[in-house]
């Protein structure tokens, strides 16, 4: 017994000694972070104006909080460790989204051996396999309008613990079911008469479907006589309203029929309130209304709320041109309307609204990507600062081909932008597939733009990166934390 106890005590002391040695080694090195600049393009003087604050984590157990003065090449790093993993603060982002037609269906077997089919094309699938030979696939082209009159709408709502619903998975109570019915009844979109799909299925010995599929005829056929529509809608959410908008174009770019929707096409307001103790959201589907009608030949592609919450920014695709409209968030009056197109038949995206900056990204299938920077005054009115290509063409050192560098500006926890009156500074995490950013590097990218285009592009990676000293042991799976915001501070 004593020998056994002595053995275990020896093992315990050995492991304790090893733990202390490892801890002492890690502890002594934990704040010794080195940042290496990989200069890529432009004038280095632009980078000297920026200080970057960011976080790097290792499986959420080790966390480095880093401040980097680029001009002085000075790094300050704080370190923390948690065996259970860090529980960072999480800001709930409320969502209210709409999804449209799906020809999927489900099969449910009853205890009595019967099989029931659910879904919008359930009857079509049942007819398809009525005389099917087991394990031989059968196919059929069906017209969706033969089975449903209006496109069904699926709700996906996430207000955290206060309200959560995905209507395709069923309802928790009659209030949820009533809300879905109210929205479906309000947004009545007739099914296209030329919306055809190919359905396929295979049955087993019992005649039950065990494999199925469907495909669009419109997307696989060159003939324009076939078409299809799939609704997708998002919303801007204020303290008491969901401002909903959705796509109104078919696969072939035709406008859907919105005549049966009260007020026609536009922005729809769904009011909501809170329960008496504030722990639940109550949607008022009976008060759903079109508060800003839009010509049905145009399409609302983006809607965002200003940082102050006092303005609504709306992008509309109006054929050859795209427009940015500023609305008063209280009375929905038009404050400003700006043509943002630089090419005909261009697509515009409202991708970044923060710090009184509004960035509109511009895309065209036959032209390079561009963006336009607007700044907002105290009244929410926008001033155009400049338009620039997103990417600059460079030739990689030691390679015989060119590549494009730059960064698209969009709202994300690891994207930040600052404006100094002449230059736009943008930073985000690496795109690891880019040859300019070695794989498994933890760090950030800094881009500086002005009216003359991309002025500076540099990658900065830390000594916490995998492969920094030639081995993965030095920082495998360390990465820029996607739970925390990266910040630029300008001197």
């Amino acid at each position: 017994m004593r020998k056994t106890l002595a053995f275990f005590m020896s093992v315990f002391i050995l492991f304790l000694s090893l733990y202390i040695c490892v801890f002492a080694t890690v502890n002594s090195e934990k704040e010794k972070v080195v940042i290496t600049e990989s200069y890529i393009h432009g004038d280095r003087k632009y980078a000297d104006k920026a200080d970057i604050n960011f976080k790097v984590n290792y499986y959420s157990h080790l966390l480095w909080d880093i401040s980097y003065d680029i001009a002085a090449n000075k790094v300050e790093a704080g370190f923390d460790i948690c065996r259970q993993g860090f529980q960072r603060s999480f800001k709930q982002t409320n969502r209210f989204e709409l999804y449209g037609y799906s020809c999927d269906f489900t099969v449910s077997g009853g205890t009595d051996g019967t099989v029931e089919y659910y879904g919008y094309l359930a009857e079509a699938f049942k007819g398809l396999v009525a005389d099917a030979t087991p394990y031989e696939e059968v196919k059929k082209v069906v017209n969706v309008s033969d089975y449903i009159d209006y496109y069904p709408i699926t709700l996906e709502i996430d207000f955290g613990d206060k309200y959560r619903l995905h209507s395709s998975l069923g309802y928790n109570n009659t209030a949820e079911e009533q809300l879905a019915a109210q929205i479906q009844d309000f947004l009545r979109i007739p099914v296209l008469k030329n919306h055809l799909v190919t359905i396929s299925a295979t049955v087993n010995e019992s005649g039950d479907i065990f494999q199925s599929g469907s495909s669009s005829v419109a997307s696989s056929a060159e003939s324009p006589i076939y078409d299809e529509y799939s609704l997708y809608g998002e919303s801007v959410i204020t303290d008491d309203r969901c401002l909903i908008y959705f796509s109104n174009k078919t696969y072939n770019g035709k406008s859907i029929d919105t005549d049966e929707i009260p007020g026609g096409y536009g922005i729809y307001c769904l009011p909501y309130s809170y329960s008496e103790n504030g722990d639940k959201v109550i949607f008022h589907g009976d008060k759903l209304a079109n508060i800003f009608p839009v010509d049905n030949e145009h399409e609302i592609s983006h809607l965002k709320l200003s940082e102050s919450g006092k303005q609504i920014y709306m992008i509309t695709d109006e054929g050859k041109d795209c427009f940015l409209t500023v609305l008063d968030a209280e009375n929905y009056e038009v404050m400003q309307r700006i043509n943002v197109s630089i090419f005909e038949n261009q697509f515009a995206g409202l991708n970044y609204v923060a710090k009184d900056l509004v960035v509109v990204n511009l895309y065209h299938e036959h032209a390079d990507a561009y963006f336009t920077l607007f700044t907002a005054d105290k009244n929410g009115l926008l001033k155009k600062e400049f338009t620039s290509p997103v990417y600059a063409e460079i030739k990689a050192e030691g390679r015989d081909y060119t590549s494009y560098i730059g960064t698209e500006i969009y709202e994300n926890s690891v994207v930040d932008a600052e404006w100094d009156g002449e230059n736009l500074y943008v930073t985000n995490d690496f795109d690891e597939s880019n040859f300019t950013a070695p794989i498994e590097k933890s760090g950030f990218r800094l881009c500086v733009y002005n009216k003359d285009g991309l002025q500076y592009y540099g990658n900065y990676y830390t000594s916490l990166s995998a492969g920094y000293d030639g081995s993965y042991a030095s920082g495998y799976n360390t990465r820029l934390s996607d739970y925390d915001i990266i910040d630029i501070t300008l001197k």
Side-chain angles (χ1 to χ4, degrees):
M1 181 69 179
R2 290 181 179 177
K3 290 182 179 180
T4 302
L5 182 59
F7 172 75
F8 280 110
M9 285 298 296
S10 300
V11 172
F12 174 75
I13 292 171
L14 175 61
F15 276 105
L16 181 61
S17 300
L18 288 172
Y19 176 81
I20 292 172
C21 290
V22 170
F23 178 80
T25 301
V26 172
N27 191 58
S28 65
E29 299 291 326
K30 66 181 185 294
E31 295 178 0
K32 293 182 180 179
V33 177
V34 177
I35 293 181
T36 301
E37 178 186 65
S38 176
Y39 172 82
I40 303 297
H41 171 80
D43 193 332
R44 177 65 168 67
K45 70 179 183 181
Y46 290 100
D48 289 344
K49 194 174 182 179
D51 292 343
I52 311 295
N53 302 295
F54 63 103
K55 292 177 173 66
V56 171
N57 77 77
Y58 178 81
Y59 281 114
S60 296
H61 292 283
L62 306 179
L63 180 69
W64 289 265
D65 193 339
I66 301 170
S67 296
Y68 182 47
D69 182 334
I70 294 179
N73 192 26
K74 180 182 177 181
V75 181
E76 294 181 1
F79 176 79
D80 199 2
I81 185 171
C82 180
R83 291 178 60 189
Q84 287 77 30
F86 293 102
Q87 299 297 318
R88 300 182 182 84
S89 60
F90 174 73
K91 182 180 178 181
Q92 169 67 32
T93 301
N94 297 330
R95 292 188 303 112
F96 192 110
E97 297 178 353
L98 308 176
Y99 295 91
Y101 166 77
S102 171
C103 59
D104 294 337
F105 80 106
T106 57
V107 180
S108 176
T111 55
D112 59 354
T114 60
V115 175
E116 296 185 4
Y117 297 85
Y118 301 92
Y120 308 121
L121 291 182
E123 291 301 316
F125 277 97
K126 287 170 65 176
L128 175 68
V129 300
D131 300 314
T133 302
Y135 304 109
E136 290 186 9
E137 184 183 55
V138 287
K139 293 184 178 182
K140 181 181 180 181
V141 175
V142 299
N143 192 320
V144 178
S145 64
D146 291 339
Y147 298 90
I148 53 176
D149 297 322
Y150 299 94
Y151 284 107
I153 297 174
T154 295
L155 303 181
E156 189 165 311
I157 308 171
D158 187 357
F159 277 61
D161 295 336
K162 293 179 170 51
Y163 198 104
R164 186 175 285 116
L165 168 66
H166 196 311
S167 61
S168 66
L169 303 179
Y171 304 98
N172 297 310
N173 50 58
T174 55
E176 292 180 350
E177 194 168 0
Q178 182 183 36
L179 174 64
Q182 289 169 331
I183 293 176
Q184 178 71 67
D185 186 59
F186 188 92
L187 299 178
R188 294 165 69 88
I189 303 172
V191 174
L192 300 173
K193 297 303 181 183
N194 59 345
H195 187 163
L196 276 59
V197 296
T198 301
I199 61 173
S200 61
T202 307
V203 299
N204 57 21
E205 296 94 337
S206 302
D208 300 329
I209 297 175
F210 72 92
Q211 285 185 342
S212 64
S214 62
S215 60
S216 162
V217 171
S219 59
S220 60
E222 295 182 0
S223 174
I225 65 171
Y226 304 112
D227 210 347
E228 66 176 37
Y229 173 68
S230 181
L231 179 147
Y232 175 68
E234 295 182 314
S235 62
V236 164
I237 299 175
T238 72
D239 293 337
D240 59 0
R241 290 161 287 166
C242 294
L243 300 176
I244 304 167
Y245 68 101
F246 63 85
S247 56
N248 69 334
K249 298 298 182 183
T250 69
Y251 177 82
N252 289 324
K254 306 295 184 181
S255 296
I256 59 170
D257 181 359
T258 58
D259 290 345
E260 295 191 43
I261 300 176
Y265 183 62
I267 301 173
Y268 309 92
C269 177
L270 174 65
Y272 70 90
S273 59
Y274 291 91
S275 58
E276 188 173 344
N277 60 7
D279 65 338
K280 297 297 179 185
V281 167
I282 302 169
F283 289 101
H284 305 288
D286 58 327
K287 297 181 179 179
L288 180 63
N290 186 339
I291 50 87
F292 190 83
V294 172
D295 189 325
N296 193 42
E297 291 303 311
H298 304 161
E299 181 178 26
I300 304 171
S301 59
H302 282 89
L303 206 66
K304 284 188 181 294
L305 202 62
S306 67
E307 198 164 46
S308 69
K310 296 180 179 180
Q311 292 81 35
I312 299 166
Y313 300 124
M314 176 179 68
I315 294 286
T316 49
D317 183 347
E318 303 186 9
K320 292 183 178 180
D321 296 314
C322 294
F323 286 84
L324 170 60
T325 303
V326 183
L327 304 175
D328 186 296
E330 285 301 318
N331 56 31
Y332 310 116
E333 291 184 357
V334 176
M335 299 173 58
Q336 196 174 13
R337 180 172 155 85
I338 305 167
N339 188 336
V340 295
S341 298
I342 57 176
F343 303 110
E344 287 188 354
N345 303 315
Q346 192 167 20
F347 173 76
L350 189 58
N351 289 16
Y352 188 89
V353 177
K355 301 179 180 180
D356 294 326
L357 303 177
V358 175
V359 175
V360 176
N361 288 315
L362 304 165
Y363 307 96
H364 192 286
E365 61 180 342
H366 300 303
D368 296 333
Y370 283 76
F371 75 88
T372 298
L373 172 68
F374 296 90
T375 55
D377 65 17
K378 62 181 180 179
N379 297 316
L381 296 177
L382 300 180
K383 174 189 174 184
K384 179 181 175 180
E385 299 294 348
F386 66 85
T387 296
S388 168
V390 173
Y391 300 102
E393 185 176 353
I394 67 167
K395 186 173 182 179
E397 185 177 350
R399 300 172 187 259
D400 58 358
Y401 59 85
T402 59
S403 185
Y404 292 88
I405 58 171
T407 185
E408 293 189 20
I409 307 165
Y410 56 94
E411 292 177 23
N412 188 283
S413 61
V414 288
V415 175
D416 193 32
E418 285 288 348
W419 169 247
D420 69 359
E422 293 183 1
N423 306 294
L424 179 67
Y425 288 72
V426 184
T427 186
N428 58 14
D429 58 339
F430 282 139
D431 175 3
E432 295 181 346
S433 64
N434 192 312
F435 74 86
T436 63
I439 294 176
E440 301 294 349
K441 299 295 186 187
S442 60
F444 61 90
R445 172 194 297 114
L446 177 65
C447 295
V448 183
Y449 294 91
N450 61 26
K451 61 182 179 63
D452 297 317
L454 181 65
Q455 299 302 305
Y456 177 77
Y457 179 105
N459 286 333
Y460 298 80
Y461 59 93
T462 76
S463 53
L464 305 172
S465 303
Y468 179 81
D469 65 356
S471 69
Y472 280 92
S474 63
Y476 182 65
N477 208 40
T478 57
R479 59 190 176 87
L480 203 68
S481 174
D482 54 6
Y483 297 96
D484 303 284
I485 297 174
I486 185 170
D487 287 314
I488 305 175
T489 303
L490 300 181
K491 298 182 179 71

